Structure formats: C-alpha cells, structure tokens
Amino acid sequence: MPRQDLPVTSYALLGLLTFGDELTGYELKQRADMTLRFYWVSPAMSQVYSELRRLTEAGLVRPTGEGRGTTYRITARGRRDLARWMKETPAGFPVLKHPVALRLLLGHLVDTEDTLAMLRAHLAALEEELSALRGVRESLRGADHDGEVFRHPALVADWGLDYLDAEREIVAGLVRRVEAGE
C-alpha cells in the first residue's frame, strides 16, 4: 500500500526529483514554481524544507552535503513508493477553488463596473499565465517524444494551455453576459 502518512504535496515534490538530477531545497522550490503552479499549489519554501525532512526520514530521498548546499536525490525506495502511490490511489476529482468564481458569486454586493473590472483583470492575468506556460511548453520541445523523460510534463503543459484557453473563453463570455445585463 502507498504510504498514508504523506500528503499529496510530498508526492508532488518527490515526483519533481524523478527527472534525473539532484536539487537543493531552493532549486526544488524553483522547479515547483515553474511547474506545479500551473495545475497544483506550489508549496512555500518552508513547506518544501519540511517535506524534504519528512521524505528523508522516510528514506524516500537521500540528502548530500550540509546546510544551504544540501542536495536531495530520490532513492530507489522513493521511486517505488511514488510509483505505488500513482498506481494504487485514486486521483480524486478536482475541487474548483477559484477566487474569481467566489467574487462573481458575491457580485451583487458591488457595482456592475467593479465586477467587470475584476473579470477583465482576470482575463489579463490569464493572458500572462498563457504566455508563461507557452514558454514552459516551448522549453520542453525536443525532449517531449514518447519514451523521453519530459514527455508527460509536455502533455501536462498542453493540457494546461487548453485549460487556460477554455477559461479565457468562459470569462470572456461572462464579461459579455454581465455587460448585457443577463
């Protein structure tokens, strides 16, 4: 059975160590910021270090060095536990925890122009995220073929691009509906 005492964030960080390199906690946080933020929560620096301690104590990662220069590498046991977690635990259904949706729900408390400004600001933020994710996706070109280590991250980037594109269309439609008084 997969370890029940590890949160999903531990498995996410463990997974980020499977691309063949050793990373410091800071580098792992940078990788999380460049990847996880598009589809999961990128953990705080303090959480990265607390999860690395937990993973080290469980024998799932091996630290090398001391202090700020300590690097971490996934162990064979870590790979087995991560693969077992992938195979044996259900992915679950995502919960939409969306701050724009929450504010739209409460839009009756403010002027229509305030609601429109919020939706338009979200459209601008979506454009920025799309641009950033396009850069990530482009960086995977050439290493994204079947059997390559970055094949699946490329698929996730493609999914993210489609998802953000769809959200952009949904929000643009909401702007039109609010403008029309629907």
Side-chain angles (χ1 to χ4, degrees):
M1 275 303 286
R3 300 178 59 85
Q4 297 299 314
D5 58 333
L6 294 178
V8 173
T9 300
S10 284
Y11 286 109
L13 293 174
L14 197 57
L16 292 179
L17 290 171
T18 63
F19 294 101
D21 47 2
E22 262 182 60
L23 300 172
T24 65
Y26 176 79
E27 292 166 334
L28 186 58
K29 168 66 172 148
Q30 297 303 97
R31 183 170 285 174
D33 287 347
M34 290 301 296
T35 58
L36 295 180
R37 75 180 181 97
F38 292 108
Y39 54 89
W40 190 253
V41 175
S42 184
M45 194 77 230
S46 60
Q47 188 177 12
V48 168
Y49 283 112
S50 64
E51 295 304 329
L52 284 170
R53 270 191 303 281
R54 183 191 322 246
L55 293 168
T56 298
E57 290 168 5
L60 305 179
V61 298
R62 185 187 74 245
T64 304
E66 294 181 19
R68 291 182 144 205
T70 302
T71 58
Y72 298 85
R73 178 176 295 280
I74 190 169
T75 63
R77 180 178 172 197
R79 278 189 179 276
R80 283 191 308 272
D81 274 18
L82 182 58
R84 190 176 308 119
W85 174 77
M86 292 279 296
K87 291 177 185 178
E88 297 178 8
T89 59
F93 194 81
V95 174
L96 181 60
K97 185 179 178 184
H98 202 304
V100 176
L102 176 61
R103 288 174 178 261
L104 183 58
L105 174 77
L106 303 174
H108 63 281
L109 298 172
V110 296
D111 294 334
T112 300
E113 284 308 311
D114 293 325
T115 300
L116 286 168
M118 183 251 327
L119 291 171
R120 290 178 182 133
H122 185 55
L123 283 172
L126 283 167
E127 290 300 330
E128 288 178 27
E129 285 298 291
L130 274 162
S131 177
L133 188 51
R134 282 185 196 109
V136 169
R137 178 59 182 101
E138 199 52 42
S139 74
L140 299 171
R141 295 249 184 258
D144 57 352
H145 304 292
D146 196 27
E148 302 252 1
V149 71
F150 292 112
R151 170 70 174 146
H152 292 95
L155 292 171
V156 171
D158 290 339
W159 181 5
L161 289 168
D162 290 345
Y163 182 87
L164 291 174
D165 257 343
E167 179 156 344
R168 180 177 51 189
E169 290 304 312
I170 291 166
V171 175
L174 290 169
V175 167
R176 288 189 297 273
R177 290 176 66 190
V178 172
E179 287 174 336
E182 292 181 25

